[in-house]
Amino acid sequence: MTETASPRAPKDPAVRQALQAAQAALGAEHAAVYGYGVVGARVVQERAAEAREAYDAHRARRDAMSRAVRDLGGVPEAAAAGYALPFPVTDADAAVRLAAELEGRVAAVYADLVAAASGDLRLEAAGGLREAAVRAVRWRGGGVAFPGLTERTAPGRPSGSPERP
């Protein structure tokens, strides 16, 4: 469901933009929660606690984004029954790659929300971006210069848009 489904949909263009970005962040959190279910099933035992912590963090951020969408006058989108994974996750190495990919995608939508929001929501988005970037570094074993913004360098891809397999 989108923000236009609400009878309270905001008329202010800046609020509508923030609402759209918050919905995207909510959608990314739904997908991350789903994805970490897959990661947790395949990751090696030594990283299981890390996967569980990330899963819990994304559940908390998902709930916060649901509240943010409501606060902006929208109706939070519901989670899908399932999400397409960017590649097959058949072993522990693929699970680690998936975790890094999930965090990169979440960072990208939070970067967009930082740009669109103001006040407390902007601070919350910056926190979500920071947390996702740190987790991405841990899963990848290295970082990028501008977390959440690297997706903008791919031609024809807005930040946060999924790669085509």
Side-chain angles (χ1 to χ4, degrees):
M1 205 174 270
T2 64
E3 69 275 2
T4 58
S6 172
R8 302 182 312 142
K11 294 183 182 2
D12 180 341
V15 175
R16 278 197 314 270
Q17 184 177 10
L19 178 54
Q20 183 178 8
Q23 285 283 25
L26 175 58
E29 292 294 4
H30 284 313
V33 168
Y34 177 88
Y36 269 103
V38 175
V39 170
R42 297 281 187 206
V43 76
V44 294
Q45 184 62 34
E46 294 79 23
R47 298 201 80 177
E50 187 177 357
R52 198 170 21 261
E53 288 170 10
Y55 174 80
D56 290 341
H58 285 292
R59 286 181 54 195
R61 286 276 176 198
R62 175 201 62 197
D63 295 346
M65 284 299 100
S66 288
R67 285 189 299 276
V69 167
R70 280 192 299 276
D71 290 348
L72 290 167
V75 176
E77 73 174 41
Y83 293 84
L85 299 177
F87 49 82
V89 182
T90 58
D91 59 21
D93 289 340
V96 169
R97 283 195 329 272
L98 177 60
E101 178 71 17
L102 292 169
E103 297 301 346
R105 291 179 182 196
V106 167
V109 296
Y110 277 117
D112 290 343
L113 184 54
V114 167
S118 61
D120 290 342
L121 181 55
R122 186 176 208 174
L123 290 174
E124 189 166 335
L129 170 57
R130 180 187 65 247
E131 290 171 12
V134 168
R135 281 190 298 267
V137 166
R138 288 182 183 145
W139 287 112
R140 278 190 191 104
V144 296
F146 297 101
L149 300 180
T150 56
E151 291 80 4
R152 293 180 195 274
T153 62
R157 273 186 64 214
S159 78
S161 67
E163 290 181 19
R164 300 290 180 228

